[in-house]
Amino acid sequence: MTDSCPPPLSKGYDRYDTVSYMPYPQNVPRARRHVARLVVGWGHPGAAGDAALVASELCTNALLHGCLRDRLFRVETSLTGTALRIAVTDPKGERLPQDRPADPDAQFGCGLLIVRALVDRWAVEHLAVGKTVWAEMAVPGRADA
C-alpha cells in the first residue's frame, strides 16, 4: 500500500501537521479529535470546536466521495499568524464538491453549507492525482506571542 497523497513542501506556516488515514469511517472522528487537540495546543482553544467540525465535514466528504479502497486520505492542519487552515486530500480528483440547496428533510448534503458558515474561505485544488479541499478561518493573534 502506498500513500497516494504525499505531503507537500512546507509553505512557511507557523505550525503545521499532517496525518494520513485509511478510508474507514472510524477515522473521521479520529481526525476530528486530532485537529481539535492541535488547535488547542497551538493556543486557540476557542477555535477548536469549529475546526473539529470543519475537519469532520471535509473528511466525511473525502470518505464518501473521494476515496478509493486501500488509498489513504490526508488531513493537513496549519496555522499562520492570522489563519487556521484545514485541508483534506483524497485520490479522486474527478469527484468535486458541489454546493446544493439546503433540504431540511435530507440526511446528507449539508456538509459544505456547514463549512461555509464556519470559515472565511474555502476552495478545491486540483492535483495530478486527486484533489485537496481546504478551508481557512481567521484566528486572533496569540496573547503570549
Side-chain angles (χ1 to χ4, degrees):
M1 167 179 31
T2 62
D3 185 348
S4 62
C5 309
L9 300 173
S10 171
K11 296 180 181 177
Y13 299 116
D14 296 335
R15 303 280 186 167
Y16 178 83
D17 180 82
T18 183
V19 180
S20 292
Y21 298 94
M22 289 296 295
Y24 302 141
Q26 66 266 27
N27 285 327
V28 173
R30 196 170 279 144
R32 178 178 58 236
R33 288 188 302 269
H34 182 73
V35 167
R37 282 192 300 267
L38 285 173
V39 174
V40 169
W42 292 348
H44 297 284
D50 287 351
L53 184 52
V54 169
S56 183
E57 293 299 333
L58 295 181
C59 289
T60 299
N61 281 350
L63 189 70
L64 292 175
H65 308 294
C67 285
L68 298 169
R69 194 171 133 231
D70 295 332
R71 299 291 295 271
L72 304 175
F73 70 95
R74 183 180 64 238
V75 179
E76 297 173 83
T77 312
S78 56
L79 179 69
T80 66
T82 60
L84 174 69
R85 177 184 280 225
I86 299 157
V88 177
T89 301
D90 66 60
K92 279 182 116 174
E94 68 275 10
R95 295 287 308 262
L96 299 177
Q98 296 178 352
D99 281 327
R100 299 184 208 181
D103 179 353
D105 297 324
Q107 181 179 1
F108 298 101
C110 296
L112 287 178
L113 294 172
I114 293 169
V115 169
R116 283 189 6 222
L118 295 174
V119 303
D120 297 299
R121 61 195 152 275
W122 73 276
V124 179
E125 291 180 18
H126 300 273
L127 306 173
V129 175
K131 67 183 172 300
T132 299
V133 181
W134 59 264
E136 283 185 355
M137 59 181 70
V139 293
R142 285 185 56 162
D144 62 347

